[in-house]
Amino acid sequence: MALTREQIAMRVANEFKDGDYVNLGIGIPTLAANYVPDDISVMLQSENGLLGMGRYPTEDQVDADMINAGKETVTAATGASIFNSADSFAMIRGGHVDFTVLGAFEVDVKGNIASWMIPGKLIKGMGGAMDLVAGAKNIIVTMMHADKHGNSKLLEACTLPLTGVNCITSIITDLAVLEVRDSAFYLKERAPGVSVDEIRQKTAGKLVVEGDIPEMQL
């Protein structure tokens, strides 16, 4: 079966390494804050000026002044620091974030990402995604494999305005884990119960399948 949003976030959290500085984008990525393994120390960065973002608060922990970039209430981990957004973007632009996790509308085989606007639809602004894809050392995209109409979001070439060019290294969807290299999507893992054939059918861009593809471990 396809993964839920929370299960995608759980799989993303498996990518975290002890000592990492990680920026979590709005949407599915922010859910990963709840699934950081207990045996490692990861500093989660929010572009609005929080380094050391913790798990989502329980009802008795809610502080309306403690929010992430998506305006959701969060907690602060031990050792957290709070600063202005200019310093936060200086950290991003200076290459001090080990990797970032972003949502996307589309990703293509060249590692291009479209995530900030759909022409004709109201947008609040471009946010920090363009800075993140330019400044982060490693970028993981989390997304649904196909849109609500069944159209693939993993394409030969993006059709929407680009956020970044040749920058995406990995994608985790509700169906699969994929690497982006050599102008193709390389299938590395599949969601439990999801067949390689289903992933092929829902991937519009070039898909490379090498050997037996294991199921994800959440």
Side-chain angles (χ1 to χ4, degrees), residues 25-96:
I26 296 170
I28 294 173
T30 55
L31 299 175
N34 280 349
Y35 302 109
V36 177
D38 293 331
D39 59 344
I40 65 172
S41 175
V42 174
M43 294 300 281
L44 301 178
Q45 194 244 23
S46 181
E47 65 204 48
N48 62 324
L50 171 60
L51 178 64
M53 186 165 55
R55 300 186 177 204
Y56 281 101
T58 57
E59 188 173 341
D60 62 324
Q61 293 176 319
V62 171
D63 179 348
D65 293 324
M66 183 69 70
I67 60 172
N68 62 21
K71 310 301 186 291
E72 300 170 305
T73 53
V74 293
T75 59
T78 301
S81 57
I82 297 171
F83 36 87
N84 67 45
S85 61
D87 289 333
S88 185
F89 275 93
M91 181 179 179
I92 293 166
R93 293 167 182 165
H96 305 294

Side-chain angles (χ1 to χ4, degrees), residues 25-216:
I26 296 170
I28 294 173
T30 55
L31 299 175
N34 280 349
Y35 302 109
V36 177
D38 293 331
D39 59 344
I40 65 172
S41 175
V42 174
M43 294 300 281
L44 301 178
Q45 194 244 23
S46 181
E47 65 204 48
N48 62 324
L50 171 60
L51 178 64
M53 186 165 55
R55 300 186 177 204
Y56 281 101
T58 57
E59 188 173 341
D60 62 324
Q61 293 176 319
V62 171
D63 179 348
D65 293 324
M66 183 69 70
I67 60 172
N68 62 21
K71 310 301 186 291
E72 300 170 305
T73 53
V74 293
T75 59
T78 301
S81 57
I82 297 171
F83 36 87
N84 67 45
S85 61
D87 289 333
S88 185
F89 275 93
M91 181 179 179
I92 293 166
R93 293 167 182 165
H96 305 294
V97 174
D98 292 305
F99 71 84
T100 188
V101 186
L102 294 174
F105 299 132
E106 297 175 343
V107 177
D108 69 26
V109 296
K110 296 289 188 182
N112 300 327
I113 175 174
S115 67
W116 73 281
M117 74 168 296
I118 297 175
K121 291 194 175 183
L122 180 67
I123 60 169
K124 296 180 179 179
M126 65 180 64
M130 292 182 183
D131 295 274
L132 287 163
V133 297
K137 301 168 187 174
N138 186 19
I139 303 165
I140 298 175
V141 166
T142 62
M143 62 195 297
M144 295 301 173
H145 212 95
D147 65 21
K148 61 183 179 181
H149 303 295
N151 300 310
S152 179
K153 298 168 72 172
L154 284 76
L155 307 175
E156 198 66 27
C158 289
T159 63
L160 297 172
L162 296 182
T163 305
V165 175
N166 303 131
C167 57
I168 304 306
T169 55
S170 303
I171 306 167
I172 300 176
T173 77
D174 56 329
L175 302 182
V177 176
L178 308 106
E179 288 183 4
V180 185
R181 54 186 169 90
D182 304 326
S183 298
F185 300 117
Y186 282 73
L187 183 60
K188 308 305 292 183
E189 300 174 23
R190 54 190 174 85
V194 172
S195 69
V196 172
D197 283 343
E198 180 179 353
I199 296 167
R200 285 187 191 279
Q201 291 168 9
K202 294 183 178 179
T203 306
K206 181 181 178 181
L207 180 69
V208 177
V209 180
E210 298 177 330
D212 293 329
I213 305 301
E215 289 190 348
M216 293 183 204

